[in-house]
Amino acid sequence: MTSQKVMPLELGVILVSLVMTALAGNFYQDFEVLWGGYRAKMLENGNLCTLSLDPASGSGFQSKNQFLFGKIDMQLKLVPGNSAGTVTTYYLSSVGSTHDEIDFEFLGNTTGQPYVLHTNIYAQGQGNREQQFYLWFDPTRDFHTYSIFWNPESIVFSVDGTPIREFKNLESKGIPYPKNQPMWLYASLWDAEDWATQGGRVKTDWSQAPFVASFRNFNAQACVVASGTNSCNSRSSSNAWMYQSLDSSGQAKIKWVQKNYMIYNYCTDYKRFPQGVPRECSLV
């Protein structure tokens, strides 16, 4: 993701620790508009946020808190109709040249053609870990839940509770893993007609603007960067997720999704990586 960012929190001038926090669902309390001005609207007493895109600009918001590990859910309803050229995003990211990032991106398409769900992970500034999927439903007709599960052992992407991808901590094998940089949660809607739809062959139809995507039911059971004690280090029932991993049922669901709905996997793109695919591909 290369959309607009904010300046990093100066972690060196404050005592930083992790405090377990449960956040649920009010955009006025939990988020602020990052760019796009009036195109980002918080509605229904803060229970709904819409982002719009027109020829002049897109829009985006970011969380008021930074997270270091968490279970984060958001419900999205994507741009309907001819959404070609548009990208709706929902992702965690730190900032800087060695930033970490965990991405959901939704690549629009022409009317009647499926959205592409694009996932990626950056660790210490290095990405190139894309996996792409079709969805097994129309993501424009209703809200669906997209979840990021991130703890010291693994990152799991899920859709409506079904895991679709896992990235394991393989630091012992020399593979970087996001674990030290607190990340903000971002969402945006922007124009990427040069690459988003069929490799950029299909452009944005601005006669359909404004394009609108909707967000609701944000929920985070997460470690928030704040001064105080590190409650996430204790094995209490409230943060048991810090020590969880996918069971055999979850692994089977990932295999089912990847067999039936995956359309791109960087681990099998030998043309892109003629000297060999990234090392983690052979270690999982």
Side-chain angles (χ1 to χ4, degrees), residues 73-195:
D73 303 324
M74 187 81 82
Q75 289 193 328
L76 281 71
K77 184 163 67 172
L78 301 180
V79 175
N82 185 357
S83 59
T86 71
V87 176
T88 305
T89 73
Y90 154 57
Y91 64 104
L92 289 164
S93 183
S94 59
V95 295
S97 60
T98 58
H99 76 290
D100 295 336
E101 190 168 328
I102 304 170
D103 282 349
F104 274 112
E105 301 185 25
F106 303 87
L107 312 185
N109 214 330
T110 54
T111 302
Q113 298 301 309
Y115 263 82
V116 172
L117 171 54
H118 175 102
T119 65
N120 200 0
I121 296 165
Y122 285 74
Q124 301 175 21
Q126 179 62 50
N128 298 326
R129 297 183 174 96
E130 300 92 344
Q131 290 184 355
Q132 295 183 337
F133 306 83
Y134 288 143
L135 294 165
W136 48 95
F137 52 82
D138 181 350
T140 73
R141 296 188 64 182
D142 203 351
F143 285 90
H144 292 269
T145 302
Y146 303 90
S147 305
I148 295 169
F149 176 93
W150 170 37
N151 71 11
E153 301 301 320
S154 66
I155 296 165
V156 178
F157 297 80
S158 297
V159 177
D160 287 339
T162 298
I164 65 170
R165 177 180 184 178
E166 181 181 33
F167 183 80
K168 294 181 179 180
N169 185 339
L170 297 172
E171 286 184 306
S172 63
K173 307 293 185 180
I175 309 301
Y177 183 81
K179 71 170 190 178
N180 296 317
Q181 299 184 53
M183 295 196 253
W184 281 278
L185 180 64
Y186 296 91
S188 62
L189 174 59
W190 52 290
D191 176 42
E193 67 174 10
D194 56 336
W195 65 270

Side-chain angles (χ1 to χ4, degrees), residues 12 34 65 93 110 134 141-142 161 176 183 235 239 261 268 272:
L34 181 61
N65 291 307
S93 183
T110 54
Y134 288 143
R141 296 188 64 182
D142 203 351
M183 295 196 253
R235 286 180 177 266
N239 60 12
Y261 296 100
T268 59
R272 180 183 178 189

Side-chain angles (χ1 to χ4, degrees), residues 44-83:
E44 299 179 4
N45 297 316
N47 293 313
L48 175 72
C49 185
T50 62
L51 297 179
S52 66
L53 165 68
D54 59 38
S57 179
S59 51
F61 61 80
Q62 73 165 76
S63 61
K64 294 180 180 179
N65 291 307
Q66 287 178 292
F67 306 103
L68 186 57
F69 306 126
K71 293 172 62 179
I72 297 174
D73 303 324
M74 187 81 82
Q75 289 193 328
L76 281 71
K77 184 163 67 172
L78 301 180
V79 175
N82 185 357
S83 59

Side-chain angles (χ1 to χ4, degrees), residues 127-131 165-168 170 173-176 258 262 264-270 272-273 276-284:
N128 298 326
R129 297 183 174 96
E130 300 92 344
Q131 290 184 355
R165 177 180 184 178
E166 181 181 33
F167 183 80
K168 294 181 179 180
L170 297 172
K173 307 293 185 180
I175 309 301
Q258 296 192 353
M262 178 182 280
Y264 177 81
N265 183 0
Y266 75 109
C267 282
T268 59
D269 193 343
Y270 303 104
R272 180 183 178 189
F273 301 105
V277 296
R279 288 186 59 230
E280 66 264 23
C281 296
S282 62
L283 297 175
V284 294

Side-chain angles (χ1 to χ4, degrees), residues 9 15 34 39 114 199 226 244:
L9 181 66
L15 175 63
L34 181 61
R39 297 172 184 84
Q244 291 175 348

